[in-house]
Amino acid sequence: VSHVAGDSVALVLVGDELLLGHVVDGNAAWLGRRLDDAGLRVVSSAHAPDDVEAIARAVRRAVEDAPAVVVTGGLGPTSDDVTREALARFAGTRLARDPAVESVIREWYADRRSAVPPAALRMADLPEGARTLGNARGSAPGVTLEVGGPPAAVVHAVPGVPSEMCAMVEELVLPDLLHRAGPLPAVATRTLLVAGMGESAVSERLVPLEAALAGARIAYLAAPSEITVRLRVTAGVGEQVAAAAQADELARTARELLGDAVAAEGGTGLAAAVVALLAAAGATVATAESLTGGLVAGTLTEVAGSSVAVVGGAVTYSTQAKAEVLGVAGDHLARRGAVDPGTAAAMAAGARARFRTTYGVATTGVAGPDPAEGRPPGVVHVAVAGPSGTRVSSPRLRGDRETVRRSAVVHALDLLRRATAGLGPAHGESRAGPSG
Amino acid sequence: VSHVAGDSVALVLVGDELLLGHVVDGNAAWLGRRLDDAGLRVVSSAHAPDDVEAIARAVRRAVEDAPAVVVTGGLGPTSDDVTREALARFAGTRLARDPAVESVIREWYADRRSAVPPAALRMADLPEGARTLGNARGSAPGVTLEVGGPPAAVVHAVPGVPSEMCAMVEELVLPDLLHRAGPLPAVATRTLLVAGMGESAVSERLVPLEAALAGARIAYLAAPSEITVRLRVTAGVGEQVAAAAQADELARTARELLGDAVAAEGGTGLAAAVVALLAAAGATVATAESLTGGLVAGTLTEVAGSSVAVVGGAVTYSTQAKAEVLGVAGDHLARRGAVDPGTAAAMAAGARARFRTTYGVATTGVAGPDPAEGRPPGVVHVAVAGPSGTRVSSPRLRGDRETVRRSAVVHALDLLRRATAGLGPAHGESRAGPSG
C-alpha cells in the first residue's frame, strides 16, 4: 500500500453497460471535475461489472488508493443491482433490513399511489453498521460505510442515475469528504487553448516553462488542431493568493512562449472566443463552406448568444453552388477548380457580400477518404474576407475524414480570430486577392 | 487472485484528463463494444493518472483480473507521457532505446519535412524485452509486453488518440487476443437504429421480443432522439450459422414490432441511410437551417461520398437572411416569426428552389438556454419540401442547448428519410403549404 494523502478520493463505477461500452460514462468525468474543483484529488477510477465479487474487489483496491471512496450504481431494485451485497462482503458483514429505510421506500411508493414491488424492499437491506444517504430524487437510497482498516476508509455509494448521483454528491457526499480531508492545500489552475499547432510543437515551445514548474503540473489535452495547455499549482493551506500568483506567473510565461497562438484562456472554447471578439468589435460574420459542409457555422452557433455575431452562411458542396450562391467566378472555377486558395478567397468574399457581414470565412479542400481534383485528402484552404482585405491559410492536414474536417474548422475559426483581433499571419498563411 | 477465463480482457486507460473529467472517455466504450463483438469479455477497466507508480499498480491489478490487458494513452512524446516507464516498472526491467523504432520516428518526421523534436525520441525508449506495435497513423508506436507471471499475461499498450487506438486494436491487438483466447463461442450481433422515439417507447414496443430472447441479450444505446437497439446472440464454438440464424430471426421480429421507425441497420448511421436513399433515387438535397446552424448539412456531409446527393445549403440564423437568401416572405416572418411551422416549410421550399434540388430540408426553433420569440427552448419545427409537397414535423424536444440541436438534426434527417422512402407521416407530423 502506497502513501495516500487525505485529500485523495477513489471512484468505483458499477454497471455491465459501462464495460460493454453501451453507454459512455459521464459520471466519472462529472465526479472528476467536481472533486478537482473542490480541491480534492481523484487518484483512481475503476469500472466494475454487476458482480458481487468484482465490485467488492474494486472497493478493496480503491481503499488502498485513497481514504475516501465514491461508488456509483448498482443500488436499484432489480436483480442485477448488487452493490449492497458487495459492500457487505467488502466490510465482512451481512445485510440486514433497515426498518427506517423500509418506511421511506414504502412512503415513496405510497406518494406515487403505486404498490411496493417486492423487489423494491431489497433497497432497505443494508450492510450492518452502514448509514443511509437520503435520495430526494429517486427511490434508491445511498449507503455510507466506514471501515476501521487498515487501511481505514469511508465508502459513499450513490445511485448511477446522473441527476440523483449529482444531487447526492453535491448535498451529502462532498461536504463529508471536505470535512474529513481537513484543511486542503490551495489549488489554482489556468488553461490556455492553442489553435493550429500540434501537441509536440506546443510542448517544444514550452520547454523553458517545463523547466520552471517548481512543483506545478502541466498537461496537454489534444483535439484535432487544438491543444489545451492546463497548468495546476498547489500551495500551502490557506495560501490561495500565493497559488494564484504562481499560476498567473506560469500562464504569463506560457503566453510569452506561445505568442498569439494562444486563442483563448480559462476554459473558453475557440468558437466562444471568436464570437466574443466579433461581438466586442460590433462585427458580424457569414460562412462559406465546402469540405466542412456546415461545421464551421455549426461550431460557431454552439455558442449560446452567437446570433449577435453570426448572420448565416452557405454550404456550397457542389461547384455549381459555389458559383450560383456565392458568386465565385465560373472561369476561375473552370481554370483552378474548387480546391484552390483563390476559390477559398472568393467564397469568403462571396459570403461577406451575400449576407452583408463584416467578415466572411470560407473552407475548401479534400476531406477524403478519396482524392478530389487530383489532390489528396488533407489539402485544405481556409480564407477570411474582411474590411482590410482577404487572408488565406493553406494548412496540410492529417488524419481521417472526420479529423481533417474538424481540423479545417479550427483553422478557419483561428484565421477569423486573427483577422478580428488584427493579428499578423500565422505560419503558412498568405494574403490573396479573390482571384488568387 | 480469482479464477480468470482465457477470453477475459482488462483495460487500463491512462491520463490525468480522464480522472479530472476534462474529457469523457470514449476509448473504454469503444473497446468494450469491439471486444464484446469479437466474443471476448472485458472484466475490468481502470483509469490511471499520468503517474508511473499509479499506472504500474493499475497494470498489476489488471493482470490479476485477466490474462490479457489493453492499456491506452501515455505513449506520446511529452513529459506527462509515462506509460513506457510504468510498463518497465511493472515488468521489473529498464527502458532502452530501440534503434529500429528510433529510425521509424526519424523517418516519420523526415516524411513531413520537419526536424525531430528531441522529446520525440523518448517514444523509442521501450521496456527491455518489449515488442513494438506499428502505428500507421501517428508517430507514437505501441508496446507489447509479455510477463511470465504468476500470473502470466500479455499487455498491449496503444496510444490514446482514438483514430490511432482503434486502428491499432483492429489490426494488431485484436488478432493477437483472439489467437491467445483459442476457440470462442460463436457470437452474432444485429443493430437497428430507431429515430425520433425515446428509449422507454422503444423498449415498450419490444416487450414481446424481450420475452423471446432465449439467452440472447438486448441493449438500448441512447443518443438524443436516436436509440440503437443491439441484439447479441451466442452459440457454441463453431456454431456461427446457428448464431446468425437466431440473430436474424430476432432482428426480423424487432423490425416487425418497430415498423418504419427503423431508420437504418447494421451500424449504418441515419445520415448514411438518407444519403443512400437519395442516391438510389437519383435525388439531391439542399439544407436550410436556423437553430441547428449548419449541423444538418454537417451531419449529411460526414458521409464519405455524400456529394452525390448533397448540393449545399444555407444557414440563415438571422431573420433577414431567411428572407434574403431563402426567399421566405417578409410578411409571413413579420406575422408569424421565425419559430413557426410555416416558416420551416417556406425555408425548405426556398432551399429547394435556390439550389435546384429534389428536396429541401429545413429546421427552425429555440435551442436555448433562453426563450426566443416568447417560445421556450425545445420548440422545434422541421420541414421537407419535395416533388410531392411539403411535410412539417413539430417535435417538442427536451434537454440542454446541445441536446436540442442534436435532436433537431435527427428529426430533420428522419423526415427527409421518410419523404425520400415514400413513407407515411410519423407521430406528430403534419402536412403544410409554404405559408403554413
Side-chain angles (χ1 to χ4, degrees), chain B residues 229-283:
Chain B
V229 178
R230 187 179 161 85
L231 301 162
R232 185 184 194 267
V233 168
T234 45
V237 171
E239 295 182 355
Q240 270 79 10
V241 173
Q246 194 196 341
D248 285 336
E249 176 60 23
L250 290 175
R252 196 183 58 73
T253 307
R255 225 176 280 125
E256 279 174 16
L257 295 167
L258 293 165
D260 61 21
V262 176
E265 296 193 43
T268 301
L270 179 56
V274 169
V275 168
L277 278 169
L278 290 166

Side-chain angles (χ1 to χ4, degrees), chain B residues 30-87:
Chain B
W30 186 87
L31 282 165
R33 280 196 304 274
R34 188 64 194 92
L35 299 182
D36 187 54
D37 275 355
L40 297 163
R41 292 187 313 129
V42 176
V43 292
S44 73
S45 155
H47 287 159
D50 295 314
D51 174 84
V52 175
E53 180 48 30
I55 300 168
R57 182 165 61 234
V59 175
R60 269 181 230 123
R61 290 168 171 175
V63 301
E64 289 175 10
D65 294 341
V69 175
V70 178
V71 181
T72 68
L75 290 173
T78 64
S79 60
D80 57 348
D81 289 312
V82 295
T83 294
R84 286 174 295 265
E85 286 81 352
L87 291 176

